[in-house]
Amino acid sequence: MNHHHVPPEKMTLSQRADELEEEMMHELERIAVKSVLYTLGEGKVEMESGAAMMAANPGKFFLMGADPRLPQMPEKPTLIDYFRCRFASHAHLLQSATHALKAGHNEKVVLACLLHDIGVVSFIRCDHGYWGAQMIEPYVDEEVSWAIRMHQALRFFPDESVGYKYPEMYIKYFGADYRPEPFIVAEYERARNHKWYMTSRMITVNDIYAFDPSAKVEIEEFTDIIGRNFKQPKEGLGWDNTPASHMWRTLNWPTRFL
Ligand SMILES: [Fe+2]
Ligand SMILES: [Fe+2]
């Protein structure tokens, strides 16, 4: 950033945010690094070299563990710890799960609703169903992760038999002429003919944004359902050596140098 000479009142909001962020970084004992994905999200294909960051932070080492700016995670984190300390938003997930519970669905469907958008709230929007499914695959019944993976495509297709319409919100968000890309159509067709189709479909039916916004639901209300249906590793999520452990570790330590 080359705007140090710009007086604060002349800075744009984003310049001021950058400045503040840089100040915070200098206050850290170690250098926290941003992965390329963060800058891609700002429309730039670039990364700062290790040497340049070292030069800008004389006498400091790179962060190789927890980022002190983030809520502190316990040594052996559980799914609920990630909800509390790393998921940026819970209300939609808790409301979907509550809706499914009240509709009398089984615990697999309730869990699927509770976790269906963890890809979005913790990680990344694009392909969120796939990311979310992959994160939980080792810990849940195959039907639950399959349903979460497929809800991504099913969201775009109505099913009159259960009263599911193409979401009004998508017309507002993507325009009336948006059509799902061929890979989404193909995935929908595969899902449509699968034995677990209805499980995934139920995620979309309970995937609501306007369900009583005043209703306050806490993640603790789902402790028992999680306990019965999510195999919490005794080492802590991230330290348990499954094909998804690295995803949880990265979420725990997102600014580790390598
Ligand atoms: Fe979703
Ligand atoms: Fe959703």
Side-chain angles (χ1 to χ4, degrees):
M1 301 297 128
N2 287 320
H3 51 258
H4 289 273
H5 54 283
V6 181
E9 67 276 9
K10 295 255 169 70
M11 285 184 195
T12 64
L13 261 184
S14 94
Q15 275 177 331
R16 245 185 272 178
D18 284 353
E19 187 92 330
L20 209 73
E21 198 181 291
E22 210 170 301
E23 262 169 42
M24 276 176 79
M25 208 171 92
H26 284 292
E27 281 166 19
L28 293 182
E29 310 256 302
R30 286 177 172 256
I31 313 165
V33 291
K34 275 185 179 173
S35 296
V36 170
L37 190 58
Y38 297 77
T39 48
L40 288 179
E42 287 164 0
K44 290 177 279 186
V45 188
E46 59 184 43
M47 63 186 281
E48 237 182 319
S49 76
M53 286 187 282
M54 282 297 254
N57 296 273
K60 285 188 183 175
F61 293 118
F62 286 108
L63 198 63
M64 286 297 282
D67 188 325
R69 298 169 301 177
L70 293 170
Q72 199 185 343
M73 292 281 279
E75 244 171 79
K76 297 176 177 177
T78 63
L79 177 65
I80 291 185
D81 292 321
Y82 280 93
F83 260 88
R84 289 201 197 106
C85 301
R86 289 294 182 273
F87 293 178
S89 168
H90 311 162
H92 169 62
L93 293 174
L94 295 173
Q95 291 189 358
S96 297
T98 303
H99 198 262
L101 199 60
K102 285 188 176 157
H105 287 296
N106 66 41
E107 293 196 347
K108 273 187 214 170
V109 170
V110 175
L111 186 73
C113 289
L114 182 67
L115 302 179
H116 77 282
D117 283 338
I118 60 167
V120 173
V121 300
S122 72
F123 230 57
I124 192 161
R125 285 181 172 278
C126 177
D127 279 324
H128 74 286
Y130 300 86
W131 288 105
Q134 202 177 353
M135 287 168 78
I136 61 166
E137 214 141 38
Y139 315 106
V140 298
D141 191 289
E142 205 186 336
E143 187 175 348
V144 173
S145 51
W146 186 90
I148 290 178
R149 179 172 287 113
M150 291 307 187
H151 97 276
Q152 161 131 13
L154 291 192
R155 283 293 271 133
F156 293 100
F157 299 88
D159 183 341
E160 298 298 339
S161 81
V162 290
Y164 181 78
K165 297 191 178 65
Y166 183 81
E168 284 290 326
M169 197 181 76
Y170 284 6
I171 300 175
K172 228 178 359 187
Y173 280 11
F174 313 133
D177 54 0
Y178 171 74
R179 296 287 174 274
E181 294 76 7
F183 76 93
I184 294 180
V185 178
E187 192 77 308
Y188 164 69
E189 276 154 14
R190 281 189 290 271
R192 189 78 190 78
N193 298 309
H194 196 280
K195 62 180 171 182
W196 293 329
Y197 166 71
M198 261 310 157
T199 310
S200 190
R201 176 50 78 193
M202 284 307 124
I203 295 180
T204 71
V205 168
N206 290 286
D207 195 358
I208 33 151
Y209 291 84
F211 164 75
D212 189 3
S214 66
K216 198 95 178 75
V217 194
E218 303 292 341
I219 181 63
E220 286 71 21
E221 293 175 36
F222 294 95
T223 305
D224 291 347
I225 289 182
I226 291 171
R228 283 191 292 270
N229 297 279
F230 187 95
K231 292 179 217 87
Q232 172 61 44
K234 60 180 184 329
E235 303 90 337
L237 263 181
W239 310 115
D240 52 329
N241 191 33
T242 72
S245 297
H246 64 288
M247 300 177 80
W248 296 97
R249 268 200 315 270
T250 296
L251 202 51
N252 192 346
W253 291 352
T255 53
R256 184 182 151 107
F257 187 75
L258 284 178

